[in-house]
Amino acid sequence: MGINQDFHPPLSASQPHKRKSKARHLLLLGALIVVAALIIFFNNATNSGLEARETPFAETVSVPPPPVAEPVSQPVAPEPVIAEIRRIVPAGSSITALLGDYFTPQEIYQLNQLSRDVFPFTRICAGQPYCITTRDGEFRKFVYEIDENEQLIISRDDDQVSLETQPIVYDVTTELIEGTISSSLFDAVAAINEDPKLAFMLSDIFQWDIDFILDIRAGDRFQALVEKRFRDGQPAGYGHILAAEFVNQGQVFRAVRFKNGEQSASYYNEDGENVRKAFLRAPLSFTRISSGYTMKRFHPITKTWKAHPAIDYVAPVGTPIKTVGEGSISRIGYNRANGNFIEVRHSNGYRSIYLHMKGFARGMTKNKRVAQGQVIGYLGGTGMATGPHLCFRMRHNGAPVNPSRLKVPAAKSISKANLAAFQAVAQPLLAQLDTHLPHHDQVAKLDLSPSTSTTGSRE
């Protein structure tokens, strides 16, 4: 063996044991490191949880309220169905025809008995409006318009049925209306977009002083403080005329509505004198004259000259004829010359006669009392007449008199006890008229030429 050959001494017997011991120490150290790491991790996690649970002393922990139980929904009852049936009473109708679908025949009979002391069903008139209200198809109310001021109400509440009359409630405003006549009062009212009823209301006030057929002239003027009615926001006609003025052929007529004590309301002039007279100036409201009062006229049928102590009024067939004064019917009937006629006997020896009528108003019989202005018949052309007209005559103690020139006394004036109250009402109303209509010193400037109406013989 050479001297430079590497020498490797043999391993001792203890060397493998030392290597194993070193390995065990390394494993033990690693285990300790892992255990230490785990302890540190869990300590940090525990401290972090404690810090999260710590709260400052001043803070309040908000605890959510317990859940509220949802209410149990109850079934909702359906709203009742209210229906209204608005109609006009047809001709020939009856309470059975109107309410027979809602009441049994026995109930209708009981209603009829009950109505006798309130408003008899026989007075229900064709052409008047009524309304039936139902709830879910069941009858609740019947409202019948008796006139523009009152209504009949039949109502049912469960098993109770009531019947009564009630005044109609209106919203009322007062308006000053004025106009100028060019041809007629009707045309003047239409020209200011008012209802024709206003013309009748004005003529009813001044009919004792003005003949609205003979006396009207172009240029005549009028004004009136009128109540206008509204119902459910809609126009519903006129109420009363509180005060009015009419300038006719230069003469001023005024009237104020006033209730003189226990008497019914009437119209009085500025001095408290009643504008009503014993007789109306004419038996018709609006028409024209075809033949005037004369003692010598050529008769168109007999072809002879004879007296005509009458005034002939031409108007449409069926125009209502009013008695000019209070009295009683002394004669009524028909003959070949006069056709259907009525004679009314008044006080102080006066009589008024109405000829050639189409027919008589209901209930007209001999000796029947009639009121001034009451409708006694209707214009026609019966008897010896060439066309529809009214031949109107008046007599005093048997002698003919000219109705257009008749001077009659007025009705009762305001009593002395009520005169101050009347003046308190009249003065502010008349003051409103003074600020509008030109009259007195201006009236002479009006055109007072006669209106151009055609005349001709009708009898």
Side-chain angles (χ1 to χ4, degrees):
M1 179 180 296
I3 197 169
N4 295 325
Q5 189 177 1
D6 291 333
F7 174 76
H8 297 283
L11 297 172
S12 63
S14 63
Q15 194 171 9
H17 176 75
K18 290 180 179 179
R19 290 180 177 177
K20 290 180 182 181
S21 177
K22 186 179 181 178
R24 282 196 297 271
H25 290 157
L26 290 175
L27 288 175
L28 181 60
L29 179 62
L32 291 173
I33 292 172
V34 171
V35 171
L38 290 175
I39 291 172
I40 293 171
F41 173 79
F42 281 112
N43 284 339
N44 289 338
T46 302
N47 293 336
S48 176
L50 290 173
E51 291 176 358
R53 285 194 297 271
E54 290 178 356
T55 57
F57 180 78
E59 291 184 359
T60 302
V61 178
S62 176
V63 180
V68 179
E70 292 290 334
V72 179
S73 60
Q74 299 292 334
V76 179
E79 290 291 330
V81 178
I82 307 297
E84 289 186 346
I85 303 171
R86 297 182 179 273
R87 292 176 182 169
I88 301 296
V89 177
S93 187
S94 65
I95 194 66
T96 300
L98 298 176
L99 298 179
D101 292 340
Y102 308 99
F103 292 90
T104 66
Q106 180 64 23
E107 290 173 330
I108 293 289
Y109 174 79
Q110 293 172 351
L111 280 176
N112 188 57
Q113 297 295 108
L114 186 63
S115 73
R116 292 181 179 181
D117 297 329
V118 180
F119 180 82
F121 291 148
T122 53
R123 292 174 55 192
I124 290 179
C125 297
Q128 289 295 104
Y130 71 93
C131 175
I132 296 176
T133 303
T134 62
R135 177 173 177 171
D136 293 334
E138 297 292 329
F139 175 88
R140 280 294 175 265
K141 184 183 293 186
F142 169 80
V143 179
Y144 166 75
E145 305 283 325
I146 297 173
D147 52 32
E148 60 183 13
N149 298 313
E150 194 175 25
Q151 56 190 0
L152 169 70
I153 299 177
I154 302 173
S155 56
R156 170 181 274 168
D157 187 8
D158 295 330
D159 294 331
Q160 298 295 321
V161 177
S162 62
L163 186 150
E164 61 181 341
T165 57
Q166 291 183 0
I168 298 175
V169 179
Y170 293 97
D171 295 321
V172 180
T173 62
T174 302
E175 183 176 331
L176 179 64
I177 297 172
E178 54 186 329
T180 302
I181 292 177
S182 57
S183 57
S184 71
L185 181 57
F186 260 125
D187 292 339
V189 167
I192 57 176
N193 299 317
E194 294 294 337
D195 192 275
K197 183 182 177 183
L198 180 62
F200 285 104
M201 294 171 68
L202 286 168
S203 69
D204 285 345
I205 294 173
F206 296 108
Q207 61 186 326
W208 291 273
D209 293 309
I210 302 172
D211 186 329
F212 285 88
I213 304 161
L214 291 175
D215 299 339
I216 294 299
R217 299 290 185 270
D220 287 354
R221 296 183 57 130
F222 66 87
Q223 62 175 335
L225 285 167
V226 184
E227 291 179 337
K228 287 194 172 182
R229 292 172 168 176
F230 296 85
R231 194 174 180 187
D232 299 327
Q234 299 299 316
Y238 302 106
H240 300 296
I241 292 180
L242 303 181
E245 178 176 280
F246 206 104
V247 179
N248 173 236
Q249 300 188 52
Q251 189 172 1
V252 179
F253 298 94
R254 284 182 156 188
V256 176
R257 189 174 189 271
F258 183 74
K259 190 177 186 305
N260 185 21
E262 297 300 320
Q263 301 177 27
S264 300
S266 186
Y267 288 90
Y268 302 85
N269 65 17
E270 293 169 285
D271 299 323
E273 297 171 341
N274 203 318
V275 301
R276 295 176 64 91
K277 307 293 192 298
F279 298 112
L280 303 177
R281 289 294 305 275
L284 302 174
S285 295
F286 300 97
T287 180
R288 67 179 178 86
I289 300 295
S290 65
S291 184
Y293 188 96
T294 178
M295 300 311 293
K296 189 177 182 180
R297 190 200 66 165
F298 185 75
H299 197 285
I301 295 179
T302 63
K303 306 300 182 183
T304 59
W305 290 90
K306 58 185 299 186
H308 185 256
I311 298 177
D312 289 348
Y313 295 96
V314 177
V317 173
T319 299
I321 297 170
K322 302 178 294 183
T323 176
V324 294
E326 180 182 356
S328 60
I329 297 176
S330 55
R331 291 193 299 159
I332 181 171
Y334 176 90
N335 63 38
R336 180 175 175 272
N338 299 325
N340 293 315
F341 71 94
I342 286 180
E343 179 184 77
V344 177
R345 180 176 60 250
H346 309 283
S347 60
N348 299 324
Y350 285 97
R351 293 175 185 257
S352 59
I353 307 167
Y354 313 81
L355 309 179
H356 308 305
M357 302 165 73
K358 175 186 177 182
F360 310 123
R362 181 180 297 179
M364 294 297 113
T365 58
K366 186 176 180 179
N367 297 323
K368 178 181 177 61
R369 293 289 301 178
V370 291
Q372 185 182 54
Q374 182 176 344
V375 174
I376 58 174
Y378 305 94
L379 188 141
T382 58
M384 295 180 64
T386 59
H389 75 288
L390 169 68
C391 179
F392 173 62
R393 303 172 182 241
M394 289 198 72
R395 293 179 178 272
H396 184 229
N397 295 329
V401 295
N402 188 342
S404 64
R405 296 181 180 178
L406 192 61
K407 301 297 183 181
V408 293
K412 290 183 179 181
S413 301
I414 296 288
S415 64
K416 291 182 179 180
N418 295 321
L419 187 58
F422 167 74
Q423 292 173 343
V425 171
Q427 287 175 359
L429 296 175
L430 295 175
Q432 294 185 60
L433 302 184
D434 286 333
T435 61
H436 287 79
L437 183 62
H439 54 275
H440 303 307
D441 57 340
Q442 299 184 29
V443 75
K445 301 178 182 179
L446 299 177
D447 181 8
L448 304 181
S449 58
S451 58
T452 56
S453 61
T454 58
T455 61
S457 178
R458 283 286 175 183
E459 190 174 80

